[in-house]
Amino acid sequence: MALSLPVSAARLAPLLLCSLLAACAAAGPDYQPPVTQAPAAWQAVPLHGTVPAGDIDLSRWWTQLADPQLSQLVDDALAANPDLRRAAAALRAARSARELAAANRFPTLSASAGASRSTALGVSRSLYQAGFDAAWEPDVFGGTRRALEAAEADLAASAADLQATRVSLVAEVALNYVELRAYQARLAIARDNLASQTETAQITDWRSQAGLASSLEVEQARSNRDSTRAAIPALDTGRAGAEHRLAILTGRTPGSLHAVLAVDEGTRGSALPSLPPGIALSIPAEVLRQRPDVQAAERRLAAETARIGQAEAARYPAFSLSGNLGLEALGLSVLGGGGQIARSLAAGVSGPLFDAGRARARVQVQEAVRDQSQAAYEATVLTALEEVQNALVALASGREREQALSSAAEAARNAALLARHRYTSGLIDFQTVLTTERSLLSVEDSLASAGAERVTALIQLYKALGGGWSPRDTAMNARVFPPVA
């Protein structure tokens, strides 16, 4: 349905529509940030070395591990990782979408000009034309305002997504670096044990030739040695996988970091990053405020809430204003003075009379989408709390496990050394030697893994705390995030 008004009545249309615009509130529900219930404190907090999060710069937590090569890899990843560039491009798209939504609130104005020449009965005639057109759809029921509100929330969510990608990227680089160093250490342990077991096999073979050992002992020694040799290729495959993932994370081709990250096979691998003396720990409520994935989920909830109003506004009439000013003249010099002037102003209104419930169904669909976003936000909050708690438990128990394994490894080395000497002297049987050698390899391998697991737990803790970015680095507009109780 459209309505055209005469010029005299149309002059009143802008005032009438502006009055309606001022009097009408935006359709749909106003967004209310969810209040999140957070626990008062964490469980199983490490008793030693915990400091307030403000005492350590969580935006560059990896520097606390005192490993220059790790810091360089993180810097390389932040500069060249494809996923980070994709998230930055998504942020630019969201910013442009917000600008488009803001522009829809204002009128459009266009200009045109033309010239024509005709000849009739031997007389040539030139005609010059110029015109201006304007159109505006007043946002009477707030649909455009809700669209802008949703676009602003989407922009903030995209900015938070960029920072969440940064947090995950930094953690993945650190985790794979620790995994690589752990594999290198385990490879060195396996090679050391292989050399020792090879020496034991040679001693057993010599004793057999001298009639002091049986063929059974010789075969047992060879089996023990070859079992250790068979474990080395699997460890090397794991090392290569971690190395290749680091290359991909830093924007390089697989294998390009081999020379940089390689260690001398004659040593016990490269040392793991060292744990800092103090561990930063935020309170639960602060974690939910600083984690970018929680912020992104909350902003998406705000965007979907605003879109309910956008869908609701589509059920009501739409108003429009349009105007035209045209000039015609036979001469270009008199176009703005003595030419003919044509002008028009029109107002229109259109709205659905019968749509079989389509508009209402769209509102219901959007309400369901909003409810999905609400559930996703709550799940994100619970996951954030769980990740912190799991990392704290792993960090608390990892120290005890590493200390116990360190003592066990020292005892296993002494036992293996004593067993070989006593076997060579004929004081014990060969089965004792096999047992001590196998125990030594197992305990040393577990000790190397336990050391890596402690560093891994710290990395996961800092990731769970939202470390790896700073509000100063984000492009989000300043705003208040949901209150946390």
Side-chain angles (χ1 to χ4, degrees):
M1 177 176 62
L3 176 65
S4 296
L5 304 176
V7 173
S8 58
R11 291 173 179 172
L12 300 177
L15 297 177
L16 177 61
L17 291 178
C18 288
S19 298
L20 287 172
L21 179 61
C24 293
D30 292 327
Y31 177 67
Q32 297 296 327
V35 177
T36 304
Q37 297 295 328
W42 304 109
Q43 301 295 321
V45 176
L47 298 179
H48 304 286
T50 300
V51 299
D55 294 347
I56 293 179
D57 183 11
L58 285 179
S59 67
R60 292 187 62 82
W61 58 261
W62 56 92
T63 59
Q64 299 294 316
L65 300 178
D67 192 314
Q69 195 163 45
L70 171 60
S71 297
Q72 184 60 54
L73 289 171
V74 170
D75 291 341
D76 292 346
L78 292 176
N81 182 262
D83 289 337
L84 200 60
R85 296 203 310 270
R86 176 195 56 76
L91 176 59
R92 294 197 303 271
R95 185 178 293 114
S96 298
R98 188 267 173 202
E99 293 174 356
L100 177 61
N104 289 335
R105 302 174 62 189
F106 300 98
T108 60
L109 180 65
S110 60
S112 61
S116 62
R117 184 175 181 83
S118 61
T119 302
L121 301 177
V123 178
S124 297
R125 179 182 178 185
S126 297
L127 181 64
Y128 298 90
Q129 298 173 318
F132 298 91
D133 296 290
W136 182 42
E137 293 186 3
D139 188 25
V140 177
F141 297 103
T144 304
R145 279 174 282 167
R146 292 301 192 193
L148 176 59
E149 183 181 333
E152 289 175 341
D154 284 336
L155 173 59
S158 292
D161 282 339
L162 174 60
Q163 303 310 335
T165 303
R166 177 188 171 98
V167 169
S168 296
L169 174 62
V170 170
E172 284 301 308
V173 171
L175 288 171
N176 281 280
Y177 181 78
V178 171
E179 182 180 359
L180 170 69
R181 293 310 187 199
Y183 271 119
Q184 290 173 333
R186 293 175 64 193
L187 275 167
I189 290 170
R191 292 188 179 107
D192 284 352
N193 279 268
L194 176 61
S196 178
Q197 291 168 10
T198 299
E199 184 179 347
T200 299
Q202 290 174 345
I203 293 173
T204 306
D205 190 52
W206 294 335
R207 285 175 59 83
S208 175
Q209 294 175 14
L212 300 176
S214 66
S215 298
L216 174 61
E217 292 175 350
V218 173
E219 295 304 322
Q220 286 177 325
R222 291 175 179 174
S223 174
N224 192 42
R225 176 198 61 195
D226 292 341
S227 294
T228 301
R229 179 181 289 128
I232 291 178
L235 292 173
D236 195 55
T237 298
R239 176 209 57 78
E243 178 188 296
H244 296 163
R245 285 193 296 274
L246 279 173
I248 297 300
L249 289 170
T250 55
R252 298 179 173 94
T253 57
S256 58
L257 290 177
H258 180 71
V260 176
L261 298 174
V263 294
D264 186 358
E265 292 187 1
T267 65
R268 284 229 164 185
S270 180
L272 289 169
S274 58
L275 290 173
I279 298 172
L281 185 60
S282 303
I283 62 174
E286 186 61 29
V287 169
L288 298 183
R289 292 190 186 98
Q290 69 191 21
R291 276 187 56 134
D293 59 336
V294 175
Q295 296 177 2
E298 185 274 334
R299 287 289 79 203
R300 288 193 174 90
L301 174 58
E304 300 304 341
T305 302
R307 290 191 177 97
I308 295 176
Q310 188 178 0
E312 186 72 33
R315 301 177 61 192
Y316 302 111
F319 298 89
S320 63
L321 289 173
S322 61
N324 174 267
L325 176 64
L327 302 175
E328 291 185 355
L330 297 177
L332 185 61
S333 60
V334 297
L335 183 61
Q340 296 181 354
I341 300 177
R343 57 179 178 269
S344 65
L345 182 63
V349 57
S350 63
L353 294 179
F354 176 75
D355 66 355
R358 293 181 181 85
R360 179 57 187 165
R362 294 188 187 99
V363 174
Q364 293 172 340
V365 168
Q366 187 56 43
E367 288 174 343
V369 172
R370 186 270 317 272
D371 293 343
Q372 294 177 43
S373 296
Q374 173 75 36
Y377 170 75
E378 294 172 359
T380 303
V381 168
L382 293 176
T383 299
L385 298 175
E386 178 193 15
E387 288 177 353
V388 175
Q389 194 65 74
N390 288 343
L392 286 173
V393 171
L395 200 57
S397 60
R399 180 182 180 184
E400 297 180 6
R401 182 169 184 265
E402 187 177 15
Q403 288 175 341
L405 284 171
S406 179
S407 298
E410 182 65 25
R413 293 187 195 101
N414 294 333
L417 182 62
L418 290 172
R420 181 184 297 177
H421 285 315
R422 298 192 70 181
Y423 173 71
T424 304
S425 302
L427 299 176
I428 60 174
D429 60 8
F430 187 66
Q431 189 63 40
T432 302
V433 177
L434 288 178
T435 301
T436 56
E437 286 186 343
R438 290 168 181 168
S439 176
L440 175 60
L441 175 59
S442 175
V443 172
E444 286 191 330
D445 186 79
S446 296
L447 177 59
S449 298
E453 287 168 3
R454 280 193 70 196
V455 183
T456 295
L458 179 65
I459 294 170
Q460 291 172 338
L461 174 61
Y462 282 155
K463 177 185 177 183
L465 293 174
W469 75 289
S470 170
R472 295 185 300 272
D473 301 330
T474 185
M476 284 190 295
N477 296 327
R479 63 174 304 281
V480 177
F481 284 96
V484 180

